mmCIF file of all heavy atoms in Angstrom:
data_model
loop_
_atom_site.group_PDB
_atom_site.id
_atom_site.type_symbol
_atom_site.label_atom_id
_atom_site.label_comp_id
_atom_site.label_asym_id
_atom_site.label_seq_id
_atom_site.Cartn_x
_atom_site.Cartn_y
_atom_site.Cartn_z
ATOM 1 N N HIS A 25 -26.776 36.424 24.942
ATOM 2 C CA HIS A 25 -25.627 35.672 25.604
ATOM 3 C C HIS A 25 -25.956 34.198 25.860
ATOM 4 O O HIS A 25 -25.454 33.619 26.791
ATOM 5 C CB HIS A 25 -25.209 36.301 26.894
ATOM 6 C CG HIS A 25 -24.974 37.783 26.799
ATOM 7 N ND1 HIS A 25 -23.931 38.291 26.008
ATOM 8 C CD2 HIS A 25 -25.634 38.877 27.276
ATOM 9 C CE1 HIS A 25 -23.958 39.607 26.055
ATOM 10 N NE2 HIS A 25 -24.962 39.987 26.778
ATOM 11 N N LEU A 26 -26.872 33.655 25.053
ATOM 12 C CA LEU A 26 -27.216 32.266 25.283
ATOM 13 C C LEU A 26 -26.298 31.352 24.434
ATOM 14 O O LEU A 26 -25.905 30.288 24.842
ATOM 15 C CB LEU A 26 -28.659 32.023 24.841
ATOM 16 C CG LEU A 26 -29.198 30.593 24.897
ATOM 17 C CD1 LEU A 26 -29.054 30.009 26.302
ATOM 18 C CD2 LEU A 26 -30.707 30.605 24.475
ATOM 19 N N PHE A 27 -25.988 31.832 23.247
ATOM 20 C CA PHE A 27 -25.188 30.980 22.376
ATOM 21 C C PHE A 27 -24.460 31.956 21.411
ATOM 22 O O PHE A 27 -25.046 32.574 20.567
ATOM 23 C CB PHE A 27 -26.058 30.071 21.567
ATOM 24 C CG PHE A 27 -25.349 29.150 20.627
ATOM 25 C CD1 PHE A 27 -24.694 28.009 21.110
ATOM 26 C CD2 PHE A 27 -25.310 29.346 19.256
ATOM 27 C CE1 PHE A 27 -24.041 27.178 20.261
ATOM 28 C CE2 PHE A 27 -24.627 28.539 18.425
ATOM 29 C CZ PHE A 27 -23.991 27.430 18.873
ATOM 30 N N LYS A 28 -23.117 32.066 21.653
ATOM 31 C CA LYS A 28 -22.278 33.026 20.929
ATOM 32 C C LYS A 28 -21.489 32.389 19.808
ATOM 33 O O LYS A 28 -21.020 31.228 19.986
ATOM 34 C CB LYS A 28 -21.375 33.770 21.962
ATOM 35 C CG LYS A 28 -22.138 34.598 22.968
ATOM 36 C CD LYS A 28 -21.256 35.692 23.531
ATOM 37 C CE LYS A 28 -22.099 36.823 24.029
ATOM 38 N NZ LYS A 28 -22.609 37.687 22.996
ATOM 39 N N PRO A 29 -21.226 33.103 18.748
ATOM 40 C CA PRO A 29 -20.357 32.499 17.718
ATOM 41 C C PRO A 29 -18.964 32.265 18.253
ATOM 42 O O PRO A 29 -18.510 32.988 19.179
ATOM 43 C CB PRO A 29 -20.351 33.634 16.626
ATOM 44 C CG PRO A 29 -21.004 34.806 17.207
ATOM 45 C CD PRO A 29 -21.769 34.394 18.387
ATOM 46 N N ALA A 30 -18.303 31.322 17.646
ATOM 47 C CA ALA A 30 -16.884 31.002 18.089
ATOM 48 C C ALA A 30 -15.982 32.220 17.844
ATOM 49 O O ALA A 30 -15.099 32.453 18.602
ATOM 50 C CB ALA A 30 -16.422 29.785 17.377
ATOM 51 N N ARG A 31 -16.309 32.946 16.750
ATOM 52 C CA ARG A 31 -15.457 34.070 16.401
ATOM 53 C C ARG A 31 -16.310 35.152 15.729
ATOM 54 O O ARG A 31 -17.253 34.789 15.061
ATOM 55 C CB ARG A 31 -14.365 33.596 15.442
ATOM 56 C CG ARG A 31 -13.200 34.526 15.280
ATOM 57 C CD ARG A 31 -12.091 33.899 14.478
ATOM 58 N NE ARG A 31 -12.457 33.711 13.044
ATOM 59 C CZ ARG A 31 -12.497 34.716 12.189
ATOM 60 N NH1 ARG A 31 -12.126 35.950 12.585
ATOM 61 N NH2 ARG A 31 -12.861 34.494 10.946
ATOM 62 N N VAL A 32 -15.953 36.409 16.036
ATOM 63 C CA VAL A 32 -16.682 37.477 15.373
ATOM 64 C C VAL A 32 -15.590 38.360 14.696
ATOM 65 O O VAL A 32 -14.623 38.767 15.401
ATOM 66 C CB VAL A 32 -17.505 38.375 16.339
ATOM 67 C CG1 VAL A 32 -18.148 39.496 15.645
ATOM 68 C CG2 VAL A 32 -18.531 37.508 17.048
ATOM 69 N N ASP A 33 -15.752 38.607 13.434
ATOM 70 C CA ASP A 33 -14.741 39.432 12.720
ATOM 71 C C ASP A 33 -14.857 40.872 13.173
ATOM 72 O O ASP A 33 -15.947 41.432 13.171
ATOM 73 C CB ASP A 33 -14.995 39.318 11.224
ATOM 74 C CG ASP A 33 -13.931 40.053 10.456
ATOM 75 O OD1 ASP A 33 -14.002 41.276 10.294
ATOM 76 O OD2 ASP A 33 -12.936 39.336 10.007
ATOM 77 N N ARG A 34 -13.716 41.386 13.593
ATOM 78 C CA ARG A 34 -13.677 42.738 14.123
ATOM 79 C C ARG A 34 -14.266 43.779 13.188
ATOM 80 O O ARG A 34 -15.091 44.594 13.547
ATOM 81 C CB ARG A 34 -12.266 43.118 14.467
ATOM 82 C CG ARG A 34 -11.716 42.564 15.767
ATOM 83 C CD ARG A 34 -12.359 43.163 16.966
ATOM 84 N NE ARG A 34 -11.866 42.525 18.188
ATOM 85 C CZ ARG A 34 -11.001 43.066 19.044
ATOM 86 N NH1 ARG A 34 -10.521 44.292 18.790
ATOM 87 N NH2 ARG A 34 -10.617 42.404 20.128
ATOM 88 N N SER A 35 -13.764 43.791 11.947
ATOM 89 C CA SER A 35 -14.105 44.878 11.098
ATOM 90 C C SER A 35 -15.481 44.703 10.452
ATOM 91 O O SER A 35 -16.241 45.709 10.373
ATOM 92 C CB SER A 35 -13.041 45.004 9.971
ATOM 93 O OG SER A 35 -13.142 43.893 9.126
ATOM 94 N N SER A 36 -15.849 43.490 10.055
ATOM 95 C CA SER A 36 -17.131 43.306 9.412
ATOM 96 C C SER A 36 -18.256 42.978 10.320
ATOM 97 O O SER A 36 -19.443 43.192 9.997
ATOM 98 C CB SER A 36 -17.011 42.186 8.319
ATOM 99 O OG SER A 36 -16.898 40.945 8.965
ATOM 100 N N GLY A 37 -17.965 42.557 11.559
ATOM 101 C CA GLY A 37 -19.011 42.098 12.459
ATOM 102 C C GLY A 37 -19.595 40.697 12.072
ATOM 103 O O GLY A 37 -20.495 40.236 12.667
ATOM 104 N N TYR A 38 -19.082 40.060 11.049
ATOM 105 C CA TYR A 38 -19.497 38.787 10.649
ATOM 106 C C TYR A 38 -19.305 37.744 11.756
ATOM 107 O O TYR A 38 -18.281 37.717 12.426
ATOM 108 C CB TYR A 38 -18.708 38.283 9.415
ATOM 109 C CG TYR A 38 -19.240 38.785 8.123
ATOM 110 C CD1 TYR A 38 -19.807 40.058 7.968
ATOM 111 C CD2 TYR A 38 -19.134 38.064 6.941
ATOM 112 C CE1 TYR A 38 -20.307 40.555 6.779
ATOM 113 C CE2 TYR A 38 -19.626 38.563 5.733
ATOM 114 C CZ TYR A 38 -20.151 39.798 5.647
ATOM 115 O OH TYR A 38 -20.634 40.285 4.462
#
Side-chain angles (χ1 to χ4, degrees):
Chain A
H25 309 294
L26 176 58
F27 182 77
K28 295 202 156 284
R31 196 171 70 76
V32 177
D33 186 277
R34 283 287 177 107
S35 68
S36 68
Y38 277 32

